[in-house]
Amino acid sequence: YNKGCKYICGIDEVGRGPLAGPVVAAAVILKQGSYFEGLNDSKKLSEKKREELFEKIKEEAVAYAICEVSNEEIERYNIYNAARIAMQRAVEQLKVRPDFLLIDAMPFENYPIPNFSMVKGDEKSVSIAAASVIAKVYRDRLMKEYAKKYPHYDFENNAGYGTKKHLEGLKAYGITPIHRRDFEPVKSMIKQGGNNE
């Protein structure tokens, strides 16, 4: 703000570690001086608190955008690059062009908008923390929808992470079209011929 930037955008992604589902990024531009009681890294908040903040952030943000990168794209580009693609696409979908980007732990080299990557950015920047909440709530809701379509993997509770119930589901029912085929133990399941498509 001191350097004359008006629209500062925070960017974060969720879903790098799961065995199923997309990686989701959010880009959020907040008004200067925005404050949200209890806002922090989304992983440190209860589901109820995240849901409450999700609505408040959407109402008060100057602009926000959410982008999914599918499991097929994750396989094509690898998870690190897929996360960056999701973040950059989220920025491109904003209705207001930002002057500056604050990114959680992911440098954007040679990017047309000036930017700064911060380790643990979701604990240091209100706009990155807001992006973290938007991305997490959106992705968790999405995985609950997938749970209705693929009921054997406990997606509504594990969001695609490799929990005991998820692994038991993989063993008993094989993989689904939303599983990441190059992630262990999905890979070993394919080798054993467990395919539920």
Side-chain angles (χ1 to χ4, degrees), residues 17-90:
L19 307 177
V23 65
V24 171
V28 179
I29 301 174
L30 297 174
K31 299 180 189 93
Q32 188 169 352
S34 284
Y35 175 75
F36 299 93
E37 183 75 43
L39 180 60
N40 197 340
D41 169 9
S42 63
K43 293 184 287 296
K44 295 183 176 173
L45 302 170
S46 68
E47 186 177 358
K48 184 172 179 278
K49 187 67 182 170
R50 283 196 299 266
E51 291 278 348
E52 190 186 297
L53 285 165
F54 181 80
E55 298 308 329
K56 283 184 182 167
I57 292 161
K58 286 201 307 180
E59 272 167 41
E60 291 187 35
V62 172
Y64 73 91
I66 302 164
C67 178
E68 294 174 42
V69 167
S70 70
N71 51 304
E72 288 98 340
E73 286 183 286
I74 291 167
E75 287 160 32
R76 195 178 313 144
Y77 301 119
N78 83 40
I79 188 60
Y80 181 83
N81 289 324
R84 181 167 45 216
I85 289 164
M87 288 172 154
Q88 291 181 352
R89 282 184 192 162

Side-chain angles (χ1 to χ4, degrees), residues 157-176:
N157 294 309
N158 62 40
Y161 283 88
T163 60
K164 188 168 179 279
K165 276 190 179 173
H166 186 173
L167 297 178
E168 283 166 0
L170 268 175
K171 207 166 186 178
Y173 298 95
I175 68 163
T176 70

Side-chain angles (χ1 to χ4, degrees), residues 108-174:
F108 281 11
E109 290 110 355
N110 307 316
Y111 196 69
I113 302 169
N115 62 81
F116 182 68
S117 166
M118 299 168 87
V119 176
K120 289 202 164 82
D122 42 17
E123 293 173 17
K124 297 170 188 166
S125 155
V126 67
S127 57
I128 293 176
S132 146
V133 167
I134 294 284
K136 173 103 177 105
V137 171
Y138 177 90
R139 190 179 186 283
D140 285 354
R141 287 178 180 178
L142 187 67
M143 293 309 291
K144 281 176 182 164
E145 286 305 308
Y146 278 130
K148 293 172 190 170
K149 196 173 178 184
Y150 309 113
H152 306 295
Y153 305 88
D154 199 36
F155 289 152
E156 66 273 30
N157 294 309
N158 62 40
Y161 283 88
T163 60
K164 188 168 179 279
K165 276 190 179 173
H166 186 173
L167 297 178
E168 283 166 0
L170 268 175
K171 207 166 186 178
Y173 298 95

